Amino acid sequence: MESMYFENGTLFVLDQTKLPNEIEYFTPKSKEDYYYAIKSLQVRGAPAIGIFAGYAMALLNEDKQELKKYLDSARPTAVNLSYATERVLKAYNEGKNPLDEARAIHLEDIEMCRKISEYGLSLLKDGDGILTHCNAGELATSKYGTGLGPLLLGKERGYTFHVYSDETRPLLQGARLTSFELEKAGVDVTLICDNMASLVMKQGKINAVLVGTDRIAANGDIANKIGTSGVAILAKHYGIPFYVLGPYSTIDYKCKTGDDIVIEERQADEIKNMWYEKPMALPETKCYNPAFDVTDHELITAIITDRGILRPPYNVSLESIKDND
Ligand code: MRU
């Protein structure tokens, strides 16, 4: 299912806040619509928000420099957002058609996800048990996805995988999106609460962990949905490979380590109220709601990009695929 598509000059975007109960596409009109869609996670996942913001830059008749600043501020952790707005801004400033650049970002993403999926699939065996965290599938990208890419491609090739999908508190992307997406694709998926990951690993049900990423630092530390680092620690404890999958555009060479990555903090309502009929804590109860965490490079078995499978030491392997510019 496509996270968005562009047809006859109009962008259609799947409202992911309505999944899995309603499948509804909408067309953003104003810069506020675009900002709200990113902020509220109607469109989410690092590559998808980049593609979406690229279209915003191209389609809106606004001061492009100001628009870029405005859109980038909607979600600070995923580097793909500012990468895409920068590319469209540059094309515009050079007198090129910004829509061509936005289209190119979209189409390149399909190609990159396909390559990532191929590389990722080469690391898996038919019958493997896989743990996922958050959603890094088609909904988070354009097609195939990153973290889920090998599973969707494997399904096309006749592989059978047994996927355990962490529900991913507090916004439940694993329950609402990953389980939904894999069910629709006919991949065997079992939903678990985040705090069950250790047990399924101990029970020998997991052969590999696959996750996406929002930003990769130059030393191989990565940011991904909150809880990812805990899963990586568990995987290390149980001797299970922990694979991070993301396109080249997710590497931020300006971030030397994960300490340089800005972590988005979101409102308490998402923990206490959002999914419940009644509040789950007192109004005065304080909540801390960081949306992402940083996983130390030492916990990562391989980083799978569209430019190949990178192994430690990551400062060397990441440098080896860097563009000279
Ligand atoms: O808050 P979200 O839903 O945007 O978080 C998404 C994730 O953490 C994904 O794993 C990440 O963006 C990689 S998506 C290919």
Side-chain angles (χ1 to χ4, degrees), residues 41 44-47 75 133-137 140-141 146 173 212-214 224-225 292:
L41 277 65
R44 36 65 53 202
R75 296 205 73 188
H133 193 73
C134 197
N135 173 268
T141 60
T146 55
Q173 290 92 333
T213 173
D214 287 78
N224 195 49
K225 182 53 45 190
F292 298 91

Side-chain angles (χ1 to χ4, degrees), residues 253-266:
Y253 289 98
K254 290 196 289 305
C255 280
K256 296 285 170 242
T257 75
D259 291 342
D260 300 329
I261 300 175
V262 177
I263 299 295
E264 174 189 1
E265 204 177 313
R266 297 180 64 90

Side-chain angles (χ1 to χ4, degrees), residues 16 38 41 43-49 75 78 80 109 113 133-141 145-148 168 171 173 176-177 211-215 223-226 228 245-247 250 264 266 291-292:
Q16 298 192 32
I38 297 172
L41 277 65
V43 51
R44 36 65 53 202
I49 56 177
R75 296 205 73 188
N80 312 62
D109 189 72
C113 286
H133 193 73
C134 197
N135 173 268
E138 292 198 336
L139 294 168
T141 60
T146 55
L148 297 189
T168 318
L171 289 170
Q173 290 92 333
R176 295 186 300 109
L177 309 177
V211 296
T213 173
D214 287 78
R215 204 179 281 249
N224 195 49
K225 182 53 45 190
I226 189 72
T228 302
L245 301 95
T250 306
E264 174 189 1
R266 297 180 64 90
F292 298 91

